[in-house]
Amino acid sequence: QQRRRHQGPRQEAAEYYRDHRVPQRMEEALNALFPQRPADLYGELANYFSKFSKAPVICKLVGRKVLDGVGQPTLEVEIYCTVKNYEKRICSTVMSSHSQIPENALPETTEADEKERSDSVNTAVEWVNESLSTMLRDLKPTDQCTVDKMLGEYFTKKVEEKKEIQKQEEEAEATLALTSCTPSATALPGKKKAANPGKKVAVAERTIPPAEPVESVLCGSLAIGGTSLAIAKAGATISRIPLYLHVALLKCNQDSPKEITLPLPMVTLLNCEKISPSKLKLVKEVMLIPPVQLSLKQGIERVLDIQKEMMRLLEPPGKAPSPQVADSKKGRAHNTGKKAPPQALKRISHLGCLITGCDNLEQPLLLMQTACNNIGLELGTDMHLAINCAAHELMDYVKGKYEILTGTFKRPDEMVDMYVELINKFPFIIALIDPLRKEDRQQWNHICCALGSKCYLIAEDAATYISKLKIDQNINIPTCSGVVLKYINQTRVSDLIELTGLLDGQRHITILGSPDGESSDDSLVDLAVGLGARFIKLGGLSRGERVTKYNRLLAIEEELAKNRMLREANLEFIAFAEESQPEKQLSDVLPPPKQDLLPPQLSQPALQVHSLPAQLPENSTLT
């Protein structure tokens, strides 16, 4: 009877294992491993059978409120998957914070922005832990497109809910205003008096396009971007490949790239203060770009040498006297007819670079030139410069002009002339970021026609909101060489892939940039490499959250070189037509132009950096 009682379960067990081919695979494993006689037999058996296990699926998401590199609250997203019947933490990502508030904002404006930021992070944590965790359960982390589509639909639903709430509030306010009968008669004359200066403002503003309204950021939108990036990292981890290769496969529809080009770093060396007593307002960052002939490691080492010399030049007087440096600066000042660069306190900006103040536009450039000359380097050959002008922060809407120096104003057309003179005088500057507001589109056309063949004209403020550029096809960007993309708010990995594809098709260069409030997460570097960005803008070589990213870039270079997948970068410019072309919207750039349909001259390499002409060639009319 006992034998009969056990006979049933034994027969069921045998059928169960036979259905799953366990005896057959066990025999195959033992036969395969015996000749090898591995030291860890059970470890090898585990590895052998692991390939027959089910693919990991998401079991839960965990959102957490953490601090970024400047002490502001931000979102961390953790991904947990069911792996071989066990719940396992796969990875996490920390979103970088981004603020629209300029550096010289009023304290109450900054406080309001910080409160709004904190509320948004709290909402994002709630979304991740509740709605998104339930929505994405049992999905494969390798299925990025499906996840991003669901995230986009969820975000759209939240936007509609917000609009409905705002509509109800507006209707309630309108009803209250109709029922209320307490208008102030004394207030009306006051409003009329206040209208007089308003009319002057309106007259002044007619000369320039008004500023576009600031896009409102939906409270909690960080959850979308954080979850999408975390899923991408989890997919790479599950596939046992680096994140940059996972992103490259997503962009190339799973076709493995044979070679990968690293983005060139734009390393911020100086952060020019825009507050008193400094007079210069135009320059926000002065950045170094190593030449393409150097490896990334060699380029970073050269930047560090220049940074050390710069710190020596900026030592307070009397602390570290240096007759040679003083003579060099005097000689430079004598040759140019300008004052020597000002001294500055050795402070480190949140961008990870030195803070200084200048009185005119040439001073930081001469200071950089002096530092390079002192260590035997020549700008334009051994190192290139880029300037972040951040011109959108300088517009005085009462005067309709940019305040480039304290008390010195220029119209948009005058700004173009100033930049042309600057690049002709300092040809080692190969990139200008945000030289104008995005609203001054006619001037963008002019500056691109004048300087596009020897300098990158890059829009950063115009391309901050990736999702807006992609969703609203009527939004376009000014004529420019390329754009700086930032992974913030509701941006998804699929958005970056799609938008960089559009930019590649239109011969724009892509720059991945880190926001002001950077975190220690180094995923941005992998995104830049996988997406094929031409440059990466990470700030300076100080502060741990920024140095971590440079270290990641160096590690990727070493890995690609070891696998013989590293392709040398190149710097080339494309001149713009002299005629004003009608501006194209993003909806007009699909599909990308085919190579055989382009004019013959465009199939040839554009102007190389190492052979920059002193002036724009007369026949430079490429479109």
Side-chain angles (χ1 to χ4, degrees):
Q1 292 179 353
Q2 186 175 2
R3 186 178 298 176
R4 289 176 185 174
R5 191 165 54 248
H6 290 291
Q7 189 69 25
R10 285 177 181 175
Q11 191 171 0
E12 291 178 9
E15 291 177 358
Y16 173 77
Y17 289 125
R18 275 198 301 269
D19 290 343
H20 290 81
R21 302 175 60 190
V22 173
Q24 177 184 347
R25 285 172 174 166
M26 179 65 76
E27 184 178 353
E28 292 172 353
L30 295 177
N31 290 335
L33 295 180
F34 179 71
Q36 302 176 15
R37 290 178 173 81
D40 185 1
L41 175 60
Y42 291 103
E44 285 297 325
L45 283 171
N47 292 336
Y48 184 88
F49 283 107
S50 65
K51 62 185 178 182
F52 301 112
S53 62
K54 290 184 177 180
V57 294
I58 300 168
C59 61
K60 71 174 181 180
L61 275 61
V62 175
R64 187 178 295 110
K65 186 177 183 178
V66 296
L67 299 179
D68 64 12
V70 293
Q72 292 296 318
T74 190
L75 173 69
E76 179 184 23
V77 179
E78 290 182 327
I79 304 293
Y80 287 79
C81 289
T82 302
V83 183
K84 300 181 180 66
N85 299 318
Y86 289 96
E87 181 184 288
K88 182 179 179 181
R89 180 185 182 276
I90 303 300
C91 66
S92 70
T93 187
V94 179
M95 286 292 286
S96 301
S97 62
H98 177 74
S99 175
Q100 305 177 61
I101 306 301
E103 295 178 2
N104 54 355
L106 297 174
E108 49 267 28
T109 305
T110 304
E111 290 176 5
D113 180 68
E114 291 176 354
K115 183 181 184 305
E116 183 179 343
R117 174 76 188 178
S118 181
D119 294 341
S120 181
V121 173
N122 291 335
T123 303
V125 170
E126 182 181 334
W127 286 7
V128 172
N129 290 329
E130 297 177 7
S131 305
L132 299 184
S133 183
T134 303
M135 183 178 72
L136 301 181
R137 188 174 299 151
D138 296 330
L139 290 178
K140 294 180 181 178
T142 52
D143 196 352
Q144 186 75 37
C145 293
T146 301
V147 171
D148 280 352
K149 182 180 179 181
M150 296 176 69
L151 291 173
E153 292 171 351
Y154 179 84
F155 181 74
T156 301
K157 185 181 73 172
K158 288 293 183 181
V159 171
E160 294 301 323
E161 291 177 359
K162 178 69 174 178
K163 289 181 179 177
E164 185 63 28
I165 293 173
Q166 289 178 340
K167 182 179 179 181
Q168 293 175 0
E169 291 176 350
E170 290 173 0
E171 291 176 351
E173 290 177 359
T175 304
L176 184 63
L178 289 174
T179 56
S180 176
C181 54
T182 58
S184 176
T186 58
L188 295 175
K191 287 185 179 179
K192 289 180 181 178
K193 290 179 181 178
N196 291 332
K199 289 181 180 178
K200 294 180 182 178
V201 173
V203 170
E205 287 187 346
R206 284 180 194 144
T207 60
I208 61 169
E212 295 180 7
V214 177
E215 183 189 7
S216 60
V217 178
L218 182 65
C219 186
S221 60
L222 274 172
I224 305 300
T227 300
S228 179
L229 183 55
I231 293 295
K233 290 183 71 174
T237 303
I238 294 298
S239 302
R240 298 183 179 180
I241 59 175
L243 177 58
Y244 67 84
L245 185 56
H246 182 64
V247 173
L249 290 172
L250 290 172
K251 185 174 181 179
C252 301
N253 295 319
Q254 302 305 318
D255 291 334
S256 182
K258 296 180 180 179
E259 289 184 320
I260 293 178
T261 303
L262 285 180
L264 289 171
M266 289 181 165
V267 186
T268 306
L269 195 62
L270 292 178
N271 179 207
C272 298
E273 286 186 315
K274 297 184 179 182
I275 57 176
S276 181
S278 304
K279 295 182 180 179
L280 178 63
K281 296 179 179 292
L282 180 62
V283 178
K284 182 176 183 179
E285 298 174 79
V286 179
M287 295 166 284
L288 295 174
I289 302 176
V292 295
Q293 295 82 4
L294 299 181
S295 68
L296 177 68
K297 183 178 181 180
Q298 292 171 330
I300 295 296
E301 289 174 350
R302 185 170 290 184
V303 170
L304 285 171
D305 290 339
I306 298 174
Q307 179 174 285
K308 289 177 184 177
E309 179 61 22
M310 184 67 69
M311 294 178 70
R312 195 167 73 89
L313 291 175
L314 293 177
E315 285 283 356
K319 187 173 182 179
S322 177
Q324 293 181 351
V325 174
D327 292 341
S328 173
K329 289 194 292 183
K330 287 179 181 178
R332 181 70 59 185
H334 176 74
N335 292 337
T336 59
K338 302 292 181 181
K339 294 182 180 179
Q343 299 292 341
L345 296 175
K346 283 174 55 179
R347 293 181 291 156
I348 300 297
S349 160
H350 68 283
L351 299 173
C353 60
L354 295 168
I355 299 177
T356 186
C358 296
D359 292 331
N360 61 58
L361 183 54
E362 293 186 357
Q363 283 184 346
L365 305 178
L366 296 176
L367 181 61
M368 198 72 73
Q369 211 168 26
T370 300
C372 289
N373 291 342
N374 287 351
I375 59 176
L377 298 178
E378 182 181 353
L379 283 175
T381 303
D382 303 313
M383 189 63 65
H384 306 293
L385 284 194
I387 296 177
N388 182 5
C389 306
H392 56 280
E393 299 179 1
L394 308 178
M395 177 57 71
D396 186 321
Y397 286 94
V398 175
K399 293 182 172 63
K401 297 180 180 180
Y402 293 95
E403 187 177 13
I404 61 169
L405 299 171
T406 303
T408 301
F409 298 86
K410 286 186 179 292
R411 295 191 306 272
D413 289 332
E414 295 174 330
M415 294 285 285
V416 175
D417 296 336
M418 179 193 68
Y419 287 126
V420 171
E421 181 181 351
L422 178 71
I423 299 302
N424 287 335
K425 188 170 185 177
F426 300 100
F428 48 75
I429 301 174
I430 66 167
L432 294 175
I433 299 178
D434 281 344
L436 298 158
R437 300 181 309 144
K438 57 186 173 185
E439 294 84 2
D440 294 324
R441 304 204 168 205
Q442 184 177 1
Q443 285 73 27
W444 273 98
N445 286 335
H446 294 164
I447 194 173
C448 285
C449 290
L451 297 176
S453 64
K454 50 186 172 180
C455 180
Y456 291 113
L457 289 314
I458 299 168
E460 180 173 3
D461 181 61
T464 297
Y465 301 105
I466 300 172
S467 56
K468 184 176 180 181
L469 288 173
K470 194 185 74 67
I471 292 175
D472 188 352
Q473 298 295 320
N474 293 323
I475 299 298
N476 53 8
I477 57 178
T479 303
C480 59
S481 307
V483 295
V484 179
L485 305 179
K486 297 181 180 180
Y487 195 89
I488 55 174
N489 300 328
Q490 69 270 20
T491 303
R492 300 165 298 172
V493 173
S494 297
D495 296 329
L496 280 182
I497 292 173
E498 184 174 349
L499 190 56
T500 52
L502 291 174
L503 294 172
D504 294 343
Q506 288 294 298
R507 295 174 288 109
H508 284 86
I509 64 168
T510 300
I511 301 99
L512 263 289
S514 61
D516 292 342
E518 193 51 275
S519 71
S520 57
D521 192 297
D522 58 10
S523 304
L524 180 69
V525 176
D526 285 77
L527 287 175
V529 175
L531 293 169
R534 182 73 60 87
F535 295 100
I536 185 168
K537 184 172 173 286
L538 299 173
L541 286 168
S542 299
R543 298 186 64 98
E545 68 274 10
R546 298 188 181 274
V547 175
T548 296
K549 294 174 179 57
Y550 285 107
N551 287 336
R552 176 57 184 157
L553 198 57
L554 290 168
I556 293 175
E557 180 188 50
E558 184 178 336
E559 183 176 327
L560 291 175
K562 181 180 178 182
N563 296 330
R564 297 183 178 179
M565 292 179 62
L566 184 61
R567 182 172 59 229
E568 183 177 309
N570 63 350
L571 285 177
E572 51 188 37
F573 306 112
I574 298 178
F576 294 78
E578 293 295 338
E579 303 87 10
S580 297
Q581 299 291 338
E583 295 180 7
K584 294 184 178 180
Q585 300 176 355
L586 282 181
S587 57
D588 297 329
V589 304
L590 285 173
K594 295 182 179 179
Q595 188 71 20
D596 56 356
L597 297 179
L598 294 175
Q601 60 266 40
L602 281 185
S603 62
Q604 302 297 322
L607 188 63
Q608 298 293 324
V609 170
H610 54 74
S611 60
L612 286 177
Q615 294 182 346
L616 185 67
E618 294 180 358
N619 61 350
S620 184
T621 57
L622 299 181
T623 55

